[in-house]
Amino acid sequence: MAVLEQRSGIQPLRFRKTLAIILQVAVHIGSALPLLWLFYAVNAGLMGGDPVKELIHFLGIGALRLLLLTLLVSPLAQWLSTGQLNRLRRPLGLWCFTWASLHFTSWLALDLAFDWSLIGGELIERTYILLGFMAWILLLALALTSVPKLMRLMGKHWKKLHGFAYVVLLLGCWHFWWSVKSGWMEPALYLAAAVFLLLLRRRKVVHWLGSFIPAPGRPR
């Protein structure tokens, strides 16, 4: 990078834009390939003794990993002084929603066969399922408002809404922790990663929380 900067002030910018495009393509390929493998694995009988459970778990873990990566982008871009990396947040967030939707749909279709009375009972009786459902509803709102035109129309309200990604992250970790029947190490690692990311973004988190506190004498 230093050599490029010495040769021309334009080249570093072009290099960063090219790098951002390459990384965006890598995000799409890296997010889609596991789904293709999953399709093959299901048809080839490679999902173990309880394929439905393994399938739902695989999709849920994938969604959580993509959400962690989405929230890692801004601190990484700041650390590397490469704002172009921020272009990865939108594709990563949309892929997170896609994986979470497949996780949710698989549970509805394969585990409960779209039995809506049974689904309602599960949401009421099992708190971890309700937490996961709440996280998916929030992800749905974030995905629907990720269109650039809506971003401009919503202005500061868009940032306020998308701050709920922090809540989704905690709900996702909580959902995972309570859904595990035995063994706490894996969900503990994901929770630790989530807390670490929130600490890295603590100023933004505090600012987002403060946006819900009305200023004195200024009704919202």
Side-chain angles (χ1 to χ4, degrees):
M1 183 63 70
V3 174
L4 289 173
E5 287 174 351
Q6 289 175 359
R7 290 178 178 174
S8 168
I10 299 175
Q11 285 183 6
L13 181 59
R14 288 179 178 172
F15 171 77
R16 290 174 182 176
K17 285 184 176 178
T18 303
L19 178 62
I21 293 172
I22 292 172
L23 289 175
Q24 285 186 54
V25 172
V27 164
H28 290 302
I29 294 175
S31 301
L33 278 181
L35 294 179
L36 294 176
W37 177 86
L38 187 62
F39 179 78
Y40 165 76
V42 169
N43 287 284
L46 302 177
M47 297 302 291
D50 192 346
V52 171
K53 182 181 177 181
E54 288 298 319
L55 174 68
I56 294 173
H57 176 73
F58 185 89
L59 292 167
I61 285 294
L64 188 53
R65 288 172 181 170
L66 285 165
L67 182 56
L68 288 168
L69 285 175
T70 305
L71 292 173
L72 176 63
V73 168
S74 288
L76 192 62
Q78 187 175 6
W79 183 56
L80 296 174
S81 300
T82 308
Q84 295 291 330
L85 285 179
N86 287 319
R87 294 186 177 187
L88 301 179
R89 290 184 303 186
R90 185 167 178 266
L92 278 170
L94 290 175
W95 272 111
C96 170
F97 172 69
T98 301
W99 277 69
S101 297
L102 290 171
H103 169 70
F104 182 48
T105 305
S106 298
W107 176 71
L108 292 176
L110 303 177
D111 208 15
L112 301 180
F114 290 116
D115 184 333
W116 298 109
S117 60
L118 187 57
I119 291 167
E122 291 283 286
L123 287 171
I124 293 172
E125 295 174 7
R126 301 193 183 192
T127 308
Y128 79 90
I129 292 178
L130 181 61
L131 294 174
F133 180 65
M134 290 166 60
W136 181 79
I137 290 293
L138 287 172
L139 277 176
L140 174 63
L142 301 186
L144 291 176
T145 55
S146 66
V147 181
K149 188 174 181 179
L150 274 178
M151 290 172 60
R152 290 191 293 271
L153 286 173
M154 293 177 69
K156 64 179 183 181
H157 300 295
W158 185 89
K159 284 190 174 181
K160 193 170 184 177
L161 174 63
H162 280 250
F164 277 95
Y166 308 133
V167 179
V168 174
L169 181 60
L170 294 177
L171 286 174
C173 290
W174 198 356
H175 167 73
F176 182 30
W177 188 290
W178 277 6
S179 67
V180 175
K181 298 294 188 298
S182 61
W184 55 269
M185 183 61 75
E186 189 180 8
L189 288 174
Y190 282 93
L191 180 60
V195 171
F196 176 70
L197 280 177
L198 292 179
L199 287 174
L200 284 180
R201 303 170 66 101
R202 57 189 178 279
R203 290 184 180 177
K204 289 186 177 179
V205 174
V206 170
H207 179 74
W208 176 71
L209 290 172
S211 68
F212 291 94
I213 302 174
R218 186 187 302 171
R220 295 191 179 184

